Amino acid sequence: KHNFNYNDIEQNSFLLDMAANHSSYLRTNYYPPTSSNSNNNNLGISPHKDAGFLTVLLQDDDCHSLQVPLKRQHSGEEEKVESESEAAVWTTISPVKGALTINTGDMAQVWSNDIYKAPLHRVLTNTQKPRYSAPFFYNPPYHAKIEPASWIVAAAAAASTSSNGATATTAQYNGILWAYFRALRFAGDWTDLGLEIQIEHFLKDNNNKDTTQDSS
């Protein structure tokens, strides 16, 4: 459990800076109907994780195309997967009428030190009708250096040592300058730059990590 204290200056400073100086934007998407014979499994947007902090999405109530990969556990419950290399079934997320879909992004994952994971997702096109959506990308200020919040790391370490004596949790990521990360991710949206920048490239110990995931 990680308690947030709104009166704590250290805990609140980053979020206050986000509120005052964010680099957010709203985008409207239109996906025309696509022939069932199209390539790439009728993909409207290929599998990817959102680069920013938080995405607030207004989905199309009449066309359900947003998907996440899930794998079924022995218990019968489903669990999200983090890369396409894992065995999974792409599952459609049906919107709740009048509700918004909230999606955590890469920067929230870094800031929370992996407590909040940025989910892999994709969008399909429909063969019968168009799809519309309106995502609002709540992004950090361009000047911000995103790194695991020290108070979150400390709280996790205290919980770990007090519960079972395990090694104290440490920060998993080096600092990421948002302007740099966003610029490279944005450039990859327009042309093939090869390996796309991912937060895994900023892991403090990524010797045994797979950083070859290709998403866009």
Side-chain angles (χ1 to χ4, degrees):
K1 182 178 180 180
H2 304 280
N3 293 321
F4 181 79
N5 181 359
Y6 287 93
N7 295 316
D8 188 300
I9 298 300
E10 180 186 5
Q11 292 186 18
N12 213 9
S13 59
F14 171 73
L15 297 181
L16 287 173
D17 191 25
M18 280 268 294
N21 303 298
H22 61 88
S23 58
S24 308
Y25 62 95
L26 174 70
R27 186 175 72 202
T28 54
N29 296 325
Y30 166 66
Y31 303 89
T34 306
S35 168
S36 59
N37 295 322
S38 298
N39 296 326
N40 299 322
N41 198 25
N42 292 341
L43 282 177
I45 297 180
S46 58
H48 67 286
K49 298 179 181 181
D50 290 348
F53 196 85
L54 198 69
T55 303
V56 181
L57 174 65
L58 177 62
Q59 291 201 67
D60 190 331
D61 290 337
D62 297 322
C63 187
H64 305 170
S65 300
L66 177 64
Q67 293 189 322
V68 296
L70 299 176
K71 60 182 178 181
R72 188 166 296 280
Q73 304 300 298
H74 295 300
S75 63
E77 296 181 354
E78 293 181 330
E79 177 182 325
K80 291 181 182 178
V81 301
E82 296 185 30
S83 73
E84 291 183 90
S85 62
E86 299 183 62
V89 176
W90 284 98
T91 304
T92 300
I93 304 299
S94 298
V96 177
K97 190 174 182 62
L100 298 170
T101 300
I102 308 299
N103 193 26
T104 48
D106 283 337
M107 296 302 102
Q109 180 167 336
V110 171
W111 177 76
S112 69
N113 205 37
D114 283 342
I115 292 175
Y116 299 113
K117 296 295 184 72
L120 188 68
H121 57 284
R122 71 180 188 181
V123 176
L124 299 183
T125 57
N126 191 286
T127 60
Q128 303 297 322
K129 52 188 175 182
R131 177 182 185 267
Y132 301 89
S133 68
F136 175 75
F137 298 98
Y138 185 45
N139 293 334
Y142 284 122
H143 63 255
K145 183 179 181 181
I146 313 301
E147 55 192 350
S150 58
W151 64 271
I152 291 179
V153 175
S160 175
T161 55
S162 63
S163 60
N164 55 22
T167 302
T169 301
T170 58
Q172 299 299 300
Y173 299 91
N174 294 301
I176 302 174
L177 182 62
W178 168 241
Y180 171 79
F181 189 89
R182 181 69 187 99
L184 290 186
R185 183 68 71 84
F186 183 75
D189 290 342
W190 293 96
T191 186
D192 186 1
L193 299 178
L195 182 63
E196 187 177 67
I197 190 170
Q198 303 290 341
I199 58 174
E200 287 80 7
H201 299 147
F202 296 86
L203 285 166
K204 286 183 174 291
D205 180 12
N206 63 2
N207 293 331
N208 298 316
K209 303 289 185 179
D210 178 11
T211 59
T212 61
Q213 177 185 317
D214 181 18
S215 64
S216 56

